[in-house]
Amino acid sequence: MKTFNPYSVFFFLGLGVLFSFCSCVEDDEFSAPQFEQSPPQIEGNKVSLSVLKGILAQNANGPYTFEDTQDYVEAYVISNDESGNFFRELIVQDKPENPTFGIAVQVDKNPLFTKYDFGRKVYIRLEGLSVGQREGSEPRLGIADGIDIGRIPEALVEEAILRDTLVADIIPLQRQLSELSFSEVNTYVELTEVQFSKVYFSENSTATYASETTDSFDGERVLESCTSAYKVIFSTSTFADFKTLSLPSGSGSMQGILTRDFRGDFFTFYINSPEAVDMTGERCDPLVFSCGLVTSTAANAFIIIDFEDQRRNRPIAISGWTNYIEAGTETWEAYASRSDSSNPSLGISARVRSANSGDANTISWLITPEIPVETNSKITLEFKTSNSFADASFMEVLYSVNWDGTEEGVSTAEWGVVADATIVSDDQFFGDWVSSGLVDMSCFEGSGYIAFRYTGKDTEDGEFNGVYELDDIAIHVE
């Protein structure tokens, strides 16, 4: 069984709604009441908020309920529902700086910012509460409701969550998209060197945060890195008071809360308010190569590769090709793949994966010889891909006209995306082989190289260490 691939642009455009952060705030004109300025006196044993992480690991099949305990946890509020982007949910982390654990506290009370404001130190009594994490989504604390975590009743909120006099300065974790880890979910993060996908901007219009006709519950926008191929989903509640604002068209940074989607398959990101966004820099759009698809191949075979002559479980070694590891230890290797209805022979394909590698990052390239675009009027490309538990790892098809042919030059060359080539999505059955379509390369700006690039990492939760397979590469010219 597969999970969804968060880095496929096609998948992003078809994402379903996220329920965990949908908001119903319609009137947020609240005045903050005055509270006694003295720390609460709490009887019991203070334990670290991160203790809940261990309890979650030991109770993966359902919520764990605290009974007959005087334990309480200390935490700092990092969510703010004043703008309506959060609803009946309080996100807290264990420390104001360099947090190690965060959790979403479910509360049947609105608004929350008037008492539990951003940076506020709080104490949470655990007696009667339950902690759970369904289907790998973000951890939650509240009241057990079957296999789910429900909200703490409003009458019990102030008894369960005590407000300290201290308001701390929350120092966000600074992260590029390639550095994100699921262990940092429910913590306050500053994403650096990012921009919204250019699909939201045209000469005549700019998409809003969450008021398009296609937005339901949440407006979901693709946020992409300026330094890597990583992407995340940026989500805004359709009840947020800034939903009609236009997305910033430049690049820069933003501060907010890192989350996971409802099924726990990929990252999402929420801000407390648009003031947390600083994206006034120039855009960093990648180069795109696109001539569309054609119905017939060019007349003459230039490259026909089926990997049948490769030694199994050894690195791919084909004359004129480059099999290059940019990061990590994993390479494209020959693999005896399973047969299936779309590829009935038990043959050899090229495979790459980061599982069990111990790599903090895995970037592996398989690059063709130079393709003579300039001396031919028609060039076509096709190939097949398959995957197995790709999860958050991903594969791209790229093209460069200025690579110098050396391994040292791979990282410094300009590579553009071959936009028309279809790559298998993570939700595809693992036994299927997916055709790229017959990609027209005739309008590419010059002779150059096709690269198949895999990106992943061997994380503790296994979300980025998926498998991609490649086979039946055919390039024809005339």
Side-chain angles (χ1 to χ4, degrees), residues 6-38:
Y7 296 101
S8 167
V9 173
F10 298 103
F11 173 67
F12 281 144
L13 298 177
L15 285 170
V17 297
L18 300 175
F19 296 98
S20 61
F21 284 84
C22 60
S23 168
C24 299
V25 175
E26 297 181 7
D27 181 5
D28 58 2
E29 296 298 324
F30 300 99
S31 58
Q34 298 300 312
F35 298 98
E36 292 184 7
Q37 294 300 305
S38 58

Side-chain angles (χ1 to χ4, degrees), residues 288-298 371 373 376-383 399 417-422 436-445 450 474-478:
V288 174
F289 292 92
S290 176
C291 310
L293 300 176
V294 292
T295 57
S296 63
T297 63
I371 301 167
V373 171
N376 290 273
S377 60
K378 183 176 181 181
I379 304 94
T380 58
L381 162 72
E382 57 185 329
F383 56 88
Y399 188 74
V417 176
V418 181
D420 302 311
T422 297
S436 63
L438 191 57
V439 179
D440 186 8
M441 296 176 55
S442 307
C443 72
F444 287 13
E445 64 185 52
I450 290 286
I475 296 176
H476 289 74
V477 300
E478 68 177 55

Side-chain angles (χ1 to χ4, degrees), residues 335-354:
Y335 173 68
S337 59
R338 290 190 176 191
S339 62
D340 73 291
S341 58
S342 61
N343 191 22
S345 63
L346 185 62
I348 295 177
S349 62
R351 181 183 74 165
V352 64
R353 61 178 180 175
S354 53

Side-chain angles (χ1 to χ4, degrees), residues 29 36 44 241 335 385 435 453 463:
E29 296 298 324
E36 292 184 7
D241 61 14
Y335 173 68
T385 53
S435 172
R453 182 173 71 180
E463 297 290 349

Side-chain angles (χ1 to χ4, degrees), residues 42-281:
I42 310 174
E43 294 183 359
N45 306 308
K46 183 173 74 174
V47 297
S48 170
L49 184 69
S50 61
V51 167
L52 303 184
K53 183 177 181 179
I55 293 174
L56 284 166
Q58 296 173 17
N59 295 271
N61 296 326
Y64 173 84
T65 300
F66 295 92
E67 297 177 335
D68 299 323
T69 181
Q70 289 190 316
D71 290 348
Y72 65 91
V73 294
E74 176 183 287
Y76 296 83
V77 177
I78 57 172
S79 59
N80 185 336
D81 62 0
E82 184 174 6
S83 69
N85 207 26
F86 292 89
F87 182 67
R88 300 187 188 275
E89 189 168 50
L90 197 66
I91 315 297
V92 299
Q93 63 185 36
D94 60 350
K95 296 184 291 185
E97 185 174 4
N98 296 320
T100 62
F101 184 72
I103 198 164
V105 186
Q106 308 301 295
V107 289
D108 197 14
K109 181 179 175 63
N110 180 57
L112 292 166
F113 77 93
T114 55
K115 184 167 186 178
Y116 306 112
D117 45 331
F118 182 79
R120 179 68 61 178
K121 183 178 182 180
V122 295
Y123 306 93
I124 305 174
R125 290 191 175 110
L126 296 177
E127 173 64 26
L129 299 186
S130 298
V131 63
Q133 187 173 13
R134 188 179 183 186
E135 294 185 357
S137 62
E138 77 278 353
R140 298 183 178 188
L141 183 66
I143 300 296
D145 182 13
I147 62 174
D148 293 323
I149 298 295
R151 294 172 176 145
I152 302 171
E154 181 173 11
L156 300 179
V157 170
E158 293 190 16
E159 179 181 337
I161 308 174
L162 286 75
R163 176 184 187 270
D164 196 269
T165 56
L166 174 65
V167 178
D169 290 329
I170 303 298
I171 309 300
L173 295 167
Q174 288 201 344
R175 295 287 186 268
Q176 292 191 354
L177 298 191
S178 61
E179 299 171 328
L180 294 177
S181 167
F182 280 122
S183 64
E184 295 168 346
V185 163
N186 285 331
T187 63
Y188 200 66
V189 174
E190 180 176 4
L191 301 180
T192 60
E193 299 184 89
V194 292
Q195 66 179 17
F196 288 103
S197 172
K198 67 178 182 180
V199 301
Y200 305 120
F201 309 100
S202 68
E203 259 186 54
N204 303 317
S205 65
T206 297
T208 60
Y209 278 90
S211 64
E212 307 304 309
T213 56
T214 54
D215 294 331
S216 177
F217 291 99
D218 287 305
E220 297 168 345
R221 310 289 182 254
V222 177
L223 190 67
E224 57 191 21
S225 171
C226 286
T227 61
S228 70
Y230 281 87
K231 298 176 176 67
V232 299
I233 291 298
F234 175 92
S235 292
T236 303
S237 169
T238 53
F239 291 94
D241 61 14
F242 58 91
K243 67 179 182 180
T244 60
L245 295 182
S246 296
L247 294 175
S249 59
S251 66
S253 63
M254 62 174 63
Q255 297 181 5
I257 298 171
L258 184 66
T259 67
R260 299 177 77 159
D261 74 295
F262 185 69
R263 292 184 57 180
D265 296 330
F266 53 86
F267 290 121
T268 54
F269 196 78
Y270 286 78
I271 58 173
N272 287 320
S273 74
E275 285 72 33
V277 178
D278 180 12
M279 300 175 71
T280 57

